[in-house]
Amino acid sequence: MNEKLLRNLVNRRSFLSAAGVAGAGIAVPRNAAAEAAAKPDPLITEVQDWQRHLGDGVDKRPYGSPSKFEKNVIRRDVSWLTASAESSVNFTPLHEMDGIITPSGLCFERHHGGIAEIDPAKHRLMINGLVEKPLVFTMDDIKRMPRTNRIYFLECAANSGMEWRGAQLNGCQFTHGMVHNVMYTGVPLKAILDEAGLRPNAKWLMLEGSDASGMNRSLPIEKALSDVLIAFGMNGEALRPEQGYPLRAVIPGWEGNLWVKWLRRIEVGDLPWQTREETSKYTDLLADGRSRKHTFIMDAKSVVTNPSPQAPLRFRGRNVLSGLAWSGRGPIKRVDVSVDGGRNWQTARIDGPVFDKSLTRFYVDFEWNGEELMVQSRAIDSTGYVQPSKDELRKIRGVNSIYHNNGIQTWLVHGNGDTENVELV
């Protein structure tokens, strides 16, 4: 063999062996090349345990679940928020997710009487009141009607409610995690009402659930006839029990309490029913003691999910800021991000599909060198509405409310990357 060629071959072999990537076709990162040359990485050069034996066959996991290494990606509750778990809430781990679709098993839960476990063969939906022909539908009846698929966010009116008086809960899962976004499959409510025939004086509906609390809410007829769905599916499968299986209402852009789960009855009337959940609850208590009711629409809102208290910055240099924005009035048109507490703003990059009344994902690619950051985001929707600061909201609403807090959230990123919920004063 030619001596020069042999010398080149030996040099190349020595480099690949020292770098621990012989025959692997893997490039060593420039900033790790020296270390890799000095000490090969056993995760590359040695056979790993999972390579030594066959894994489970296709018959071992008939319904798939996440990897065991993702065991911390779960809904979480705050036990002291409520007196019992049956009338409580757990929260979507927004900081652990990307894209816009919430996996069915991570959608937040809010119950008033615990989860109703209903046999779909025994479930009925009744339509009565100011209709020409009272009707009762089985699940089979509903599934034989023309159906549609739509992606919508669902947000509890109490989302961020603990923050009215100041920074409280240290994590976007807890400050903003009563929201999720899925594809619903169902039948337009208008089609069901058309079969029953509305009388001329029909102005309101009362939706009633089958759970132990008998959850019910009043709904204006105009909304019912526009975009409301009666859904039996989410994300391509049946509703989960905690999300209302086998049937629930989907009221796009409006507060989640209206989205009655385990739906059993729709009564048509000429006035709202003034139920508990729209009088003593789910009203906005103002500074002067008066209450606003029927504030159905969820206004434009956003939150930076990464970095956030549960997702601190851990690497200097290249990083990705990520977050979510949504509005009950229409699509998100723009999201601005500030890293200096609102002094300066830049337009974030919106990526992925942008739908009406849906979560929208935004990003900012940035370099971080250990400086302190005051991270904020503000959403602008298709109507031109700009997400307000918390101070702007408080000037109008005071601090006595629990519901409909869509103020700008601030995260303080410390020099070591740890992040906390703060208020600007």
Side-chain angles (χ1 to χ4, degrees):
M1 182 179 289
N2 180 283
E3 183 178 351
K4 181 177 179 181
L5 179 60
L6 179 61
R7 204 162 47 240
N8 289 342
L9 182 60
V10 170
N11 288 343
R12 180 176 179 275
R13 283 177 176 168
S14 299
F15 169 76
L16 289 173
S17 176
V21 292
I26 300 174
V28 179
R30 286 173 293 177
N31 60 357
E35 181 182 350
K39 185 179 180 181
D41 185 349
L43 293 175
I44 299 175
T45 60
E46 298 179 9
V47 176
Q48 304 302 309
D49 288 343
W50 55 84
Q51 298 174 292
R52 299 177 190 276
H53 55 80
L54 296 175
D56 288 344
V58 296
D59 59 340
K60 295 296 184 181
R61 306 179 189 186
Y63 193 93
S65 59
S67 163
K68 63 182 180 180
F69 301 106
E70 300 296 320
K71 64 182 180 181
N72 291 323
V73 184
I74 57 174
R75 298 179 288 221
R76 289 181 169 86
D77 71 341
V78 178
S79 58
W80 51 263
L81 278 180
T82 57
S84 72
E86 291 77 21
S87 182
S88 192
V89 62
N90 62 19
F91 301 85
T92 302
L94 299 177
H95 63 291
E96 298 279 13
M97 296 160 46
D98 218 321
I100 66 169
I101 296 297
T102 310
S104 297
L106 295 178
C107 293
F108 83 94
E109 299 176 63
R110 172 69 171 109
H111 310 315
H112 294 257
I115 298 170
E117 294 280 1
I118 299 174
D119 180 348
K122 298 179 180 179
H123 188 67
R124 300 292 184 268
L125 174 64
M126 179 170 67
I127 313 295
N128 70 316
L130 297 179
V131 294
E132 299 298 336
K133 182 173 60 174
L135 296 171
V136 174
F137 295 90
T138 66
M139 288 301 300
D140 287 338
D141 292 334
I142 291 170
K143 288 183 177 181
R144 289 187 296 111
M145 300 178 73
R147 67 185 65 170
T148 189
N149 296 279
R150 294 289 185 271
I151 295 175
Y152 294 122
F153 77 84
L154 187 166
E155 183 181 18
C156 179
N159 201 23
S160 310
M162 290 295 294
E163 306 295 303
W164 271 109
R165 293 176 181 268
Q168 298 289 325
L169 300 174
N170 212 31
C172 71
Q173 181 170 16
F174 305 116
T175 59
H176 289 73
M178 282 193 276
V179 65
H180 58 68
N181 201 62
V182 306
M183 175 175 280
Y184 292 99
T185 301
V187 175
L189 177 53
K190 183 179 185 300
I192 293 174
L193 295 176
D194 284 347
E195 285 207 14
L198 294 174
R199 292 185 177 177
N201 55 338
K203 302 297 181 185
W204 288 82
L205 307 181
M206 189 272 285
L207 311 182
E208 180 182 83
S210 299
D211 60 324
S213 73
M215 214 356 251
N216 60 349
R217 283 295 302 266
S218 301
L219 179 71
I221 196 70
E222 293 82 8
K223 179 67 172 177
L225 295 175
S226 61
D227 57 1
V228 174
L229 300 181
I230 303 303
F232 48 81
M234 60 186 287
N235 289 343
E237 62 179 2
L239 293 168
R240 296 291 177 94
E242 65 270 25
Q243 301 299 333
Y245 179 90
L247 201 64
R248 78 168 308 161
V250 172
I251 322 288
W254 286 24
E255 62 183 10
N257 185 255
L258 285 158
W259 299 43
V260 174
K261 295 184 285 188
W262 313 292
L263 183 66
R264 67 176 296 272
R265 187 166 71 97
I266 299 174
E267 183 173 349
V268 183
D270 57 353
L271 292 170
W273 270 257
Q274 311 294 354
T275 72
R276 173 184 181 274
E277 305 300 331
E278 59 201 38
T279 53
S280 68
K281 306 296 181 184
Y282 296 94
T283 59
D284 300 315
L285 184 60
L286 304 178
D288 62 5
R290 293 180 301 155
S291 292
R292 299 191 313 174
K293 65 179 180 179
H294 298 325
T295 50
F296 298 128
I297 297 176
M298 304 304 293
D299 284 318
K301 190 171 180 178
S302 68
V303 64
V304 172
T305 59
N306 305 77
S308 64
Q310 296 163 286
L313 284 177
R314 286 294 176 248
F315 301 98
R316 298 198 178 192
R318 184 168 63 186
N319 279 279
V320 178
L321 179 151
S322 180
L324 292 165
W326 60 98
S327 173
R329 298 184 185 277
I332 292 295
K333 287 299 184 184
R334 195 178 88 226
V335 181
D336 296 332
V337 170
S338 174
V339 295
D340 57 8
R343 293 185 182 90
N344 298 283
W345 296 89
Q346 60 178 308
T347 300
R349 173 171 58 89
I350 290 177
D351 193 85
V354 177
F355 297 121
D356 183 32
K357 303 176 184 67
S358 166
L359 294 189
T360 300
R361 177 64 62 175
F362 64 87
Y363 299 104
V364 173
D365 304 310
F366 71 105
E367 296 281 333
W368 183 64
N369 296 311
E371 66 273 24
E372 189 174 271
L373 306 176
M374 298 282 281
V375 179
Q376 298 179 328
S377 63
R378 66 182 181 196
I380 299 94
D381 67 22
S382 58
T383 70
Y385 178 93
V386 179
Q387 182 184 358
S389 69
K390 290 182 181 179
D391 282 344
E392 288 172 328
L393 274 182
R394 288 168 182 150
K395 287 177 183 176
I396 300 171
R397 303 265 304 276
V399 295
N400 294 326
S401 187
I402 299 172
Y403 308 107
H404 301 105
N405 181 0
N406 68 318
I408 290 172
Q409 176 64 46
T410 305
W411 305 127
L412 170 60
V413 180
H414 295 283
N416 65 355
D418 289 346
T419 306
E420 63 176 315
N421 180 8
V422 299
E423 285 272 338
L424 292 177
V425 294

